[in-house]
Amino acid sequence: MPVDEERRKAIAVAAAVGGVGVVAAAVPFVASFAPSERAKAAGAPVELDLSAIGPGELKTFEWRGLPVWVLRRTPEMLQSIKKVDGEVADPKSVRTQYPTPEYARNEFRSIKPEYLVAVGICTHLGCSPTGPFPGGVNAQLGNAQGFVCPCHGSTFDLAGRVFKNKPAPDNLPVPPHKYVSDTVVLVGDDSKA
Ligand code: FES
């Protein structure tokens, strides 16, 4: 993948915690030094083993200091996503503030519908949403299933799509990733073999 493309993706994800301006301004400075081995390791892709995640479970991994969620969605959970198509702000993930990779620009925002891979950082001010909640137990979600950001009340469905009229400007970021086997995902690298 061209360097510029990789950098753009890294910034889009890092912007979820750092603010676009700050990160973009830092890039020319950082790029002028050879990165240390430690820095390289900190930015390296990580392999996530999905085999121990049960149906309906969410597991959190770490990549570049960010929490990466993997939610194994049941058929019923996938149905809950279809039901709220008209209630989310950007159902097809076409907004560009935190661009969704092309291979996840679909209703379930994923390569395989069963697994959501997303950065668990709210696109409003960077809090970590809680969940997943089933329908009918959380006042902010109502009957919908999903996640709730405790700071200012943004809500997201089980595809990480933000509901309408919430402070978060975009869906939860989907990091660059690819499957290297049926149950192992590489996060931080979506280059084709
Ligand atoms: S940080 Fe999530 S709603 Fe404000």
Side-chain angles (χ1 to χ4, degrees):
M1 175 184 304
V3 172
D4 280 357
E5 173 73 359
E6 201 158 63
R7 179 180 295 169
R8 187 183 61 74
K9 285 182 177 170
I11 290 170
V13 173
V17 282
V20 176
V22 174
V23 176
V27 166
F29 177 77
V30 172
S32 64
F33 293 90
S36 67
E37 288 307 312
R38 197 167 156 215
K40 274 195 232 167
V46 293
E47 284 194 352
L48 317 184
D49 181 2
L50 314 187
S51 60
I53 306 175
E57 264 180 25
L58 178 134
K59 192 165 175 189
T60 303
F61 299 85
E62 187 180 332
W63 169 66
R64 294 186 176 173
L66 301 171
V68 173
W69 291 348
V70 179
L71 174 64
R72 185 172 171 190
R73 297 174 293 199
T74 62
E76 187 268 334
M77 287 171 140
L78 292 173
Q79 277 305 318
S80 82
I81 294 168
K82 285 177 174 285
K83 279 190 204 149
V84 296
D85 264 354
E87 298 170 41
V88 294
D90 181 17
K92 306 272 188 235
S93 294
V94 295
R95 289 185 179 177
T96 54
Q97 192 163 350
Y98 299 91
T100 300
E102 183 271 328
Y103 46 81
R105 223 173 291 149
N106 50 55
E107 184 171 36
F108 299 123
R109 304 189 74 232
S110 60
I111 298 173
K112 295 184 185 187
E114 190 176 3
Y115 294 104
L116 171 70
V117 179
V119 176
I121 298 281
C122 179
T123 54
H124 179 223
L125 292 177
C127 297
S128 196
T130 53
F133 293 101
V137 302
N138 183 284
Q140 283 153 302
L141 281 166
N143 287 327
Q145 300 190 35
F147 303 93
V148 178
C149 190
C151 317
H152 312 97
S154 290
T155 49
F156 303 85
D157 73 358
L158 294 180
R161 301 181 303 177
V162 66
F163 282 90
K164 287 177 181 168
N165 305 316
K166 300 292 176 179
D170 213 333
N171 297 332
L172 295 180
V174 172
H177 67 284
K178 63 181 177 184
Y179 282 81
V180 292
S181 79
D182 265 2
T183 54
V184 176
V185 166
L186 187 66
V187 171
D189 179 2
D190 56 7
S191 59
K192 299 210 165 51

